[in-house]
């Protein structure tokens, strides 16, 4: 581990709440680099941290079976990724400040995309403009694959 990258140590730490972090730290004693945090509610994040926040690529798994795989910014979903609900419904596309925002595609548990097709510009759960956005879907899938690779580093 190089000090130039900001990472100075790798160790496990248990917080007073019972949350457990196992990963890399910087000189300011903040999570920085690759790591995994297990929260007491069963939520698990594996991936990249920057100055204490989830930042870069990672995988966030919830106790109910929902999973987000993709890019994070400032501790929230940010950039491209794939959010898959426990029932199999998924959104592939753009996220901002922890919410669906931008281009994307919804796939229902039966594998369909709805009738009419649920693809285009989203803000939260609302489809603002229906249109094909294959580039956004591809970027989301690439971010998902990279996030999966990151947790195995």
């Amino acid at each position: 581990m190089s000090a130039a990258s900001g990472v100075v140590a790798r160790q496990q730490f248990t917080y007073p709440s019972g949350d457990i972090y196992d990963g890399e730290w910087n000189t300011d004693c903040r999570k920085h680099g690759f790591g995994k945090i297990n929260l007491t509610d069963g939520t698990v994040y594996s991936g990249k941290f920057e100055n204490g926040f989830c930042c870069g690529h990672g995988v966030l798994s919830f106790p109910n079976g929902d999973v987000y795989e993709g890019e994070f910014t400032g501790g929230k979903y940010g950039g491209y990724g794939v959010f898959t609900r426990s029932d199999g419904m998924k959104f592939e596309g753009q996220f901002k400040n922890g919410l669906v925002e931008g281009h994307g595609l919804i796939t229902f548990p039966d594998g369909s995309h709805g009738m009419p097709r649920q693809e285009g510009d989203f803000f939260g759960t609302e489809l603002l403009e229906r249109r094909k956005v294959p580039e956004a879907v591809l970027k989301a899938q690439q971010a998902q694959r990279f996030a999966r690779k990151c947790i195995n580093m």
Side-chain angles (χ1 to χ4, degrees):
M1 289 171 264
S2 136
S5 69
V7 174
V8 295
R10 179 173 183 90
Q11 71 180 49
Q12 183 173 308
F13 180 79
T14 302
Y15 292 88
S17 65
D19 298 342
I20 300 170
Y21 174 71
D22 185 11
E24 299 173 329
W25 300 83
N26 67 13
T27 55
D28 296 325
C29 297
R30 293 186 181 163
K31 297 179 289 288
H32 193 85
F34 290 99
K36 178 178 184 178
I37 188 160
N38 292 286
L39 305 180
T40 55
D41 70 359
T43 302
V44 177
Y45 171 80
S46 298
K48 192 88 190 277
F49 289 85
E50 188 173 298
N51 291 315
F53 293 101
C54 306
C55 192
H57 289 84
V59 175
L60 182 62
S61 302
F62 296 94
N64 68 355
D66 294 350
V67 177
Y68 173 79
E69 301 165 299
E71 298 172 332
F72 288 80
T73 303
K76 298 179 180 179
Y77 316 145
Y80 290 94
V82 177
F83 187 94
T84 306
R85 292 188 341 188
S86 61
D87 65 4
M89 184 172 175
K90 69 180 172 181
F91 177 82
E92 300 167 289
Q94 293 178 295
F95 295 81
K96 185 175 181 182
N97 293 319
L99 302 170
V100 169
E101 186 174 332
H103 309 312
L105 172 67
I106 292 177
T107 303
F108 293 96
D110 66 3
S112 74
H113 301 293
M115 197 56 85
R117 189 174 172 90
Q118 299 298 296
E119 180 177 20
D121 299 331
F122 287 84
F123 185 76
T125 58
E126 186 178 356
L127 177 56
L128 301 176
E129 181 184 347
R130 193 176 319 283
R131 64 191 179 102
K132 295 203 178 273
V133 292
E135 186 176 309
V137 174
L138 179 62
K139 286 182 179 180
Q141 293 167 347
Q142 289 169 338
Q144 178 187 43
R145 282 191 299 277
F146 193 76
R148 288 177 179 174
K149 284 182 184 178
C150 283
I151 65 172
N152 295 317
M153 295 179 131

